Amino acid sequence: MTNTLTTPPVAPLLERLFADAARSRQLLGELFGQLSPEERAARMSDPGVDYRAFYSRAKEIHMPVSPATGALLYMLARANGARAIVEFGTSFGISTLHLAAALRDNGGGRLIGSDFEPNKLAQARANLEAAGLADLVEIREGDALETLARDLPATIDVVLLDGHKPLYARIFAGLAPHLRAGSFVVADNTDACPDYTALVRAPGSGYLSIPFAGDVELTMKL
Ligand SMILES: C[S@@+](CC[C@H](N)C(=O)[O-])C[C@H]1O[C@@H](n2cnc3c(N)ncnc32)[C@H](O)[C@@H]1O
């Protein structure tokens, strides 16, 4: 049985994008090298830090989910029959392509992405066009604290948290009322947001939540 993720045009496009991302990782090292230890710590843990300035300097850098996390996103969205997906942090669209491929194979739906970097928005949209998945995706331009706080689907089946780490708990709080039993939330790089993991792991929170692959948190609404 054929599927969208592992066949052309999506599969070769993802292969190229992951290769581009691996090359851009060196730029990330250089960018972090330009920050003082205090700036580095704040960048990972302070919700009030000027994160927009940092991401502007990182506008050529992909910072994608890993291939394994990408495949997991596709599997989760297929498994729970996702029709509505929200993504905090789209970048060049690598995670978006995995999730939109799942929507296509589920028979359709809507993915709301978010980013504030014009270069990344343009590249992500071009990648979705090239993949034949653009009709399923709306990428909202601006700070996700605002763009993901309005006009959300009544029910959201899958969420990816992958923008500025210290904002996860706030973004999640806005999306949580839309989750249903069986909805999944995947949060990348959660080493940097203990407040978020404490929230979803708390006994009686209404979620089952586990860490895997080092710093990814997988959460299901009970
Ligand atoms: C780690 S990258 C996302 C990678 C993407 N999920 C993928 O797998 O290819 C984080 C992205 O989130 C964006 N971002 C960070 N904080 C944001 C915010 N508050 N609102 C909108 N976008 C944000 C950055 O510009 C950056 O492109």
Side-chain angles (χ1 to χ4, degrees):
M1 189 170 167
T2 186
N3 73 87
T4 304
L5 185 69
T6 62
T7 53
V10 175
L13 176 61
L14 279 172
E15 200 175 321
R16 179 173 67 71
L17 289 172
F18 274 123
D20 291 347
R23 280 188 288 274
S24 78
R25 205 168 293 138
Q26 190 190 339
L27 297 174
L28 187 62
E30 289 167 15
L31 181 53
F32 272 109
Q34 291 160 12
L35 303 179
S36 69
E38 295 74 27
E39 283 174 317
R40 264 202 296 276
R43 138 89 197 110
M44 293 310 283
S45 60
D46 181 354
V49 76
D50 187 357
Y51 51 86
R52 189 131 190 191
F54 171 83
Y55 283 107
S56 170
R57 288 162 72 186
K59 60 176 177 286
E60 307 294 341
I61 308 173
H62 298 61
M63 300 182 275
V65 295
S66 70
T69 302
L72 179 78
L73 289 169
Y74 175 85
M75 289 192 270
L76 293 173
R78 290 300 309 277
N80 83 353
R83 293 290 181 145
I85 297 176
V86 173
E87 176 181 71
F88 170 41
T90 292
S91 191
F92 287 65
I94 288 181
S95 49
T96 327
L97 288 164
H98 289 84
L99 289 164
L103 287 181
R104 178 70 81 222
D105 293 341
N106 285 346
R110 180 180 178 211
L111 191 163
I112 299 172
S114 58
D115 215 294
F116 43 36
E117 260 317 305
N119 175 53
K120 291 187 164 180
L121 288 157
Q123 300 274 350
R125 289 184 178 125
N127 289 331
L128 288 158
E129 283 291 343
L133 295 170
D135 59 305
L136 299 167
V137 181
E138 170 201 352
I139 308 177
R140 295 186 178 173
E141 180 166 2
D143 195 314
L145 282 173
E146 290 156 25
T147 64
L148 297 185
R150 58 173 165 75
D151 303 330
L152 294 171
T155 300
I156 300 172
D157 304 297
V158 177
V159 170
L160 172 65
L161 300 175
D162 198 19
H164 183 51
K165 313 306 160 191
L167 298 181
Y168 282 11
R170 279 172 70 186
I171 296 281
F172 175 75
L175 302 178
H178 299 265
L179 302 176
R180 59 158 170 98
S183 291
F184 290 110
V185 182
V186 174
D188 205 9
N189 316 117
T190 45
D191 284 356
C193 35
D195 58 334
Y196 171 74
T197 50
L199 187 75
V200 289
R201 289 180 199 169
S205 67
Y207 298 94
L208 187 61
S209 196
I210 53 163
F212 76 98
D215 65 347
V216 180
E217 187 79 8
L218 172 59
T219 304
M220 191 187 81
K221 184 167 165 83
L222 295 169

